[in-house]
Amino acid sequence: QTLGNMNGYATAPAGFRAGFQANQDELEPDDTVLEGRDVARVIVYGPPGSGKTTLCKLISEKKGLVLINARTAVQDAMEQKTPMGLKAKGVLEEGKVLPDDVQVDVVLERLAKDDCADQGWIIDGFPAKSAQAEALTASGATPTIVLLFEAAETVVVDRCEQRRYDPETQAEYHLVANPPPDDPAVVERLEQRAEDTEENLKHRVARHTAALPSLA
């Protein structure tokens, strides 16, 4: 599936297929659409649990693209004390939600680095709002490819509700697909993120679905 106009964004050619094997939930990206491009610039959308993050990592590793996630970009910028990172830190320390313009500025700051210009980039799930997309377009940071994943709400809940993480090591697990090690100490300290509860997952899917028309 591909988004339409995306406020001037290029859409993904029909040759790109991204799906799950019926029995193994293993992504098999047909990324030949990236062949022949000097520098690929890719944006991947989808609800939680749709496989977009896994695919982004696979393509990043195979094609050497710089992988960017808005959340980790903000964290990295704050740790590195970049101008935009310091701005974001100031907002968060005031207990406020990071506004769109600051999120966009952090991403643009990351895209301006030499590795993105030389290697190309792939962004996981950003921009998520029309205002963010318009800001990226205005800056000239337009993608060559936009991919859209779809997943039913029941599938999202089934996949994501089983996710756990280790607050000590930051390791990520899935109780069925990628279980934690057989270590009582590890199992005991595992936590479920608030965003992965059934109620919050349904809200996130609804928010994603509602946002798509404004991006088209």
Side-chain angles (χ1 to χ4, degrees), residues 20 23-26 54 158-164 172-180:
F20 290 94
N23 298 322
Q24 298 183 2
D25 270 11
E26 181 179 349
T54 300
D158 182 57
R159 286 178 182 165
C160 299
E161 200 175 21
Q162 300 297 317
R163 296 195 295 205
R164 300 292 186 273
E172 303 274 352
Y173 301 103
H174 187 282
L175 297 182
V176 177
N178 179 35

Side-chain angles (χ1 to χ4, degrees), residues 107-191:
V107 172
L108 289 177
E109 183 180 57
R110 181 64 187 89
L111 292 177
K113 294 188 176 181
D114 290 342
D115 57 349
C116 288
D118 295 339
Q119 300 168 221
W121 43 261
I122 181 167
I123 303 181
D124 178 2
F126 186 90
K129 302 176 183 178
S130 59
Q132 296 171 345
E134 290 167 359
L136 286 182
T137 301
S139 73
T142 54
T144 54
I145 304 169
V146 176
L147 308 176
L148 173 62
F149 275 26
E150 293 181 342
E153 180 186 275
T154 54
V155 173
V156 169
V157 172
D158 182 57
R159 286 178 182 165
C160 299
E161 200 175 21
Q162 300 297 317
R163 296 195 295 205
R164 300 292 186 273
Y165 80 101
D166 184 339
E168 184 172 307
T169 65
Q170 302 304 310
E172 303 274 352
Y173 301 103
H174 187 282
L175 297 182
V176 177
N178 179 35
D182 188 16
D183 182 338
V186 173
V187 174
E188 184 176 354
R189 67 175 182 254
L190 292 182
E191 297 181 7

Side-chain angles (χ1 to χ4, degrees), residues 66-108:
V66 177
L67 176 58
I68 298 174
N69 176 284
R71 177 185 297 178
T72 55
V74 170
Q75 294 172 344
D76 291 344
M78 290 192 297
E79 290 176 1
Q80 296 167 12
K81 297 182 180 180
T82 69
M84 291 302 104
L86 293 174
K87 184 176 181 180
K89 183 178 180 181
V91 172
L92 295 176
E93 286 181 344
E94 293 177 1
K96 299 178 180 178
V97 176
L98 211 58
D100 289 340
D101 63 326
V102 176
Q103 293 185 53
V104 170
D105 286 345
V106 169
V107 172
L108 289 177

Side-chain angles (χ1 to χ4, degrees), residues 11-93:
T11 57
F16 192 98
R17 300 189 306 277
F20 290 94
Q21 291 185 359
N23 298 322
Q24 298 183 2
D25 270 11
E26 181 179 349
L27 280 167
E28 290 188 311
D30 172 14
D31 56 4
T32 54
V33 69
L34 299 180
E35 298 293 350
R37 296 175 183 271
D38 292 333
V39 178
R41 303 183 300 277
V42 187
I43 287 180
V44 182
Y45 287 93
S50 61
K52 64 182 185 300
T53 297
T54 300
L55 181 70
C56 284
K57 291 178 180 178
L58 287 172
I59 294 179
S60 172
E61 293 171 359
K62 186 171 183 178
K63 294 299 182 181
L65 302 180
V66 177
L67 176 58
I68 298 174
N69 176 284
R71 177 185 297 178
T72 55
V74 170
Q75 294 172 344
D76 291 344
M78 290 192 297
E79 290 176 1
Q80 296 167 12
K81 297 182 180 180
T82 69
M84 291 302 104
L86 293 174
K87 184 176 181 180
K89 183 178 180 181
V91 172
L92 295 176
E93 286 181 344

